[in-house]
Amino acid sequence: MEVQIAVAKVNKYATSESGDTLEVVERPNGGLSVVLADGQSSGRGAKAISQMVVRKVIGLLAEGVRDGAAARAASDTLFTDKQGKVISTLNIASLDLSSGTIVLTRNNRIPLGTSRNVRPLITEIAIEPGLIAVIYTDGLTHAGKRRGAPMDVGATIRAILEDQDPSPQMLADTLLAEAVNLDENRPADDISVLALKVTSRTGDNVRRMTVRLPIEGNWRL
Amino acid sequence: MEVQIAVAKVNKYATSESGDTLEVVERPNGGLSVVLADGQSSGRGAKAISQMVVRKVIGLLAEGVRDGAAARAASDTLFTDKQGKVISTLNIASLDLSSGTIVLTRNNRIPLGTSRNVRPLITEIAIEPGLIAVIYTDGLTHAGKRRGAPMDVGATIRAILEDQDPSPQMLADTLLAEAVNLDENRPADDISVLALKVTSRTGDNVRRMTVRLPIEGNWRL
């Protein structure tokens, strides 16, 4: 089998910094975790919040702390620091090779930093070919709202899956492109889309990663 | 312009854990850094060392510490912890958007943890189309030595570059495949190859990342 993860990410129109932060960390007991946080508001302040949350979670996961405990710790840290005035969503997608499962840890409806009792929603799914998971920040669901034609993310995903056997990169790229299109090429919010797919591919034993960064005139992404 | 980074990574034959650790972190002042460490020996012990080094460096870079200072700090931490008995190589490739440069920070001939005075080699290059950098752990240069036919990495890179305009993924994949071939499909050491390329591509403003992990029978990579 092979697990493929793809991310596509764009800034809110005319902002040089995304309030979304996404990072990947190796799990000390095997596998990896992708951590995605969306800090309140946009621009530099939001970036600082989402970076703080992601750094906290990644540091704990790297020490072997379980995903749910890492999410609670990040929430408590944010609440202590900002006294409930600043919040952040958090999604962790973990490929946990010690249990043979994909673990999804989510704080979206109840974001981090709101109170001392924030708990994540945790879903654990066996790793098997055909499994697809899609994670995104709310910029995707807000796309098109300005024009009164909001994006139906579920319907878009179903349409992509019906037509073909899309790679995760194609899935993430198509969702993002649809959202940017609905926002008339001026995204109303930062948008991050992550797609994970388990395939039955058996080839070499090589782990691969690619990163592509467009560079704008002002150098800052 | 667009900066593309690709990584291909394989474990030493018959080991479930790579002694090489590679992670990517966003730089707080714009851009990103890829951090690659190769811990002494192989297997679980080496992994713990390279993970400790990479975590230390990434944590400091995320706080805005400069690459050279982060490398020195990781060396001092390793030296203090292991009293010079355990070493690790370290390579940092940074896309620094605040200065518009690629910064390469290297501790290979003088690895981390050997003494209190370890200094990295630092090279700073302007980001411009056509720039290619290749970074690898010593598993690549050791490939084929068992058979007395060691790999000539420079010649292999030149041959790939002569034939075509290779993507970074093709460059990394071809180098790794050549090494694995010289080791008769049983790599004598962990091998990690990173290729970075600056292209003149101007397209959308989307940042993209893909990760591909083959999963073996025993679940652990």
Side-chain angles (χ1 to χ4, degrees):
Chain A
M1 284 191 289
E2 185 174 80
V3 177
Q4 300 178 0
I5 296 167
V7 177
K9 200 162 174 287
V10 76
N11 293 2
K12 177 178 174 177
Y13 179 69
T15 60
S16 60
E17 202 131 29
S18 171
D20 297 348
T21 295
L22 181 143
E23 290 193 16
V24 181
V25 65
E26 269 192 273
R27 297 173 72 82
N29 298 311
L32 58 77
S33 295
V34 189
V35 183
L36 173 61
D38 178 0
Q40 195 172 17
S41 85
S42 62
R44 199 155 179 92
K47 184 69 190 178
I49 295 301
S50 64
Q51 265 184 336
M52 188 263 265
V53 166
V54 168
R55 301 266 21 115
K56 185 76 189 170
V57 170
I58 284 211
L60 291 169
L61 294 179
E63 291 170 8
V65 171
R66 279 168 297 170
D67 301 33
R72 289 178 195 215
S75 182
D76 289 349
T77 303
L78 183 59
F79 182 78
T80 303
D81 204 38
K82 304 290 180 186
Q83 298 171 328
K85 288 172 193 151
V86 180
I87 59 175
S88 172
T89 67
L90 172 68
N91 287 277
I92 311 173
S94 294
L95 170 65
D96 184 346
L97 295 184
S98 60
S99 62
T101 57
I102 305 282
V103 182
L104 304 174
T105 301
R106 292 174 289 161
N107 278 101
N108 296 301
R109 294 202 186 157
I110 303 173
L112 306 190
T114 47
S115 77
R116 285 225 161 271
N117 302 304
V118 171
R119 291 173 175 219
L121 276 174
I122 297 183
T123 312
E124 195 166 0
I125 313 163
I127 300 175
E128 51 185 49
L131 176 67
I132 292 175
V134 180
I135 294 169
Y136 45 86
T137 54
D138 65 357
L140 195 70
T141 41
H142 290 160
K145 277 193 181 164
R146 204 168 37 192
R147 295 195 306 158
M151 179 156 174
D152 184 337
V153 178
T156 310
I157 293 176
R158 281 189 295 275
I160 303 168
L161 294 179
E162 259 172 31
D163 273 357
Q164 55 235 316
D165 182 32
S167 68
Q169 190 69 65
M170 194 200 164
L171 195 49
D173 280 353
T174 308
L175 282 167
L176 183 65
E178 173 76 7
V180 171
N181 188 39
L182 285 172
D183 274 340
E184 295 168 307
N185 292 317
R186 298 181 172 196
D189 192 2
D190 307 310
I191 310 176
S192 303
V193 186
L194 182 162
L196 178 154
K197 186 175 184 179
V198 184
T199 71
S200 53
R201 177 181 182 278
T202 52
D204 49 29
N205 294 320
V206 179
R207 297 171 78 142
R208 290 184 172 86
M209 184 179 68
T210 58
V211 178
R212 291 173 55 185
L213 277 105
I215 301 181
E216 289 289 341
N218 72 353
W219 292 111
R220 290 186 61 84
L221 298 175
Chain B
M1 285 190 287
E2 184 174 81
V3 176
Q4 301 178 357
I5 296 167
V7 177
K9 199 162 174 286
V10 75
N11 293 1
K12 177 179 173 176
Y13 178 68
T15 62
S16 60
E17 201 131 30
S18 172
D20 296 349
T21 295
L22 181 144
E23 291 192 13
V24 181
V25 67
E26 268 191 275
R27 296 173 72 82
N29 297 310
L32 58 78
S33 296
V34 189
V35 182
L36 172 62
D38 178 0
Q40 194 172 18
S41 83
S42 63
R44 199 155 179 92
K47 184 69 189 179
I49 295 302
S50 63
Q51 264 183 336
M52 189 263 265
V53 166
V54 169
R55 298 263 29 109
K56 185 76 189 171
V57 171
I58 282 210
L60 291 168
L61 294 180
E63 290 169 8
V65 172
R66 279 168 296 171
D67 300 34
R72 289 177 195 216
S75 182
D76 289 348
T77 304
L78 183 58
F79 183 77
T80 303
D81 204 37
K82 304 291 180 185
Q83 299 172 326
K85 288 172 192 151
V86 180
I87 60 175
S88 172
T89 67
L90 171 69
N91 287 276
I92 311 173
S94 294
L95 170 63
D96 184 347
L97 296 184
S98 61
S99 63
T101 56
I102 305 282
V103 182
L104 304 174
T105 302
R106 292 173 289 161
N107 277 101
N108 294 301
R109 293 198 188 160
I110 302 172
L112 306 191
T114 47
S115 78
R116 284 225 160 273
N117 301 304
V118 171
R119 290 174 174 217
L121 276 174
I122 297 182
T123 313
E124 196 165 359
I125 313 163
I127 299 176
E128 53 185 49
L131 176 67
I132 293 175
V134 180
I135 293 169
Y136 45 86
T137 53
D138 63 358
L140 194 70
T141 40
H142 291 159
K145 278 194 181 164
R146 203 167 38 191
R147 296 195 304 159
M151 180 156 174
D152 184 337
V153 177
T156 310
I157 293 176
R158 281 190 296 275
I160 303 168
L161 294 179
E162 259 172 32
D163 273 358
Q164 55 235 315
D165 183 31
S167 68
Q169 190 70 66
M170 195 202 165
L171 195 48
D173 280 353
T174 308
L175 281 168
L176 184 65
E178 173 76 8
V180 170
N181 189 40
L182 286 172
D183 274 340
E184 296 168 305
N185 292 316
R186 298 182 172 194
D189 193 3
D190 307 311
I191 309 176
S192 303
V193 185
L194 182 162
L196 178 155
K197 186 175 183 176
V198 184
T199 72
S200 55
R201 177 181 183 278
T202 52
D204 49 28
N205 294 321
V206 180
R207 298 172 78 144
R208 292 184 171 86
M209 183 179 69
T210 58
V211 178
R212 291 171 56 184
L213 277 105
I215 300 181
E216 290 288 341
N218 72 353
W219 292 112
R220 290 184 61 83
L221 298 175

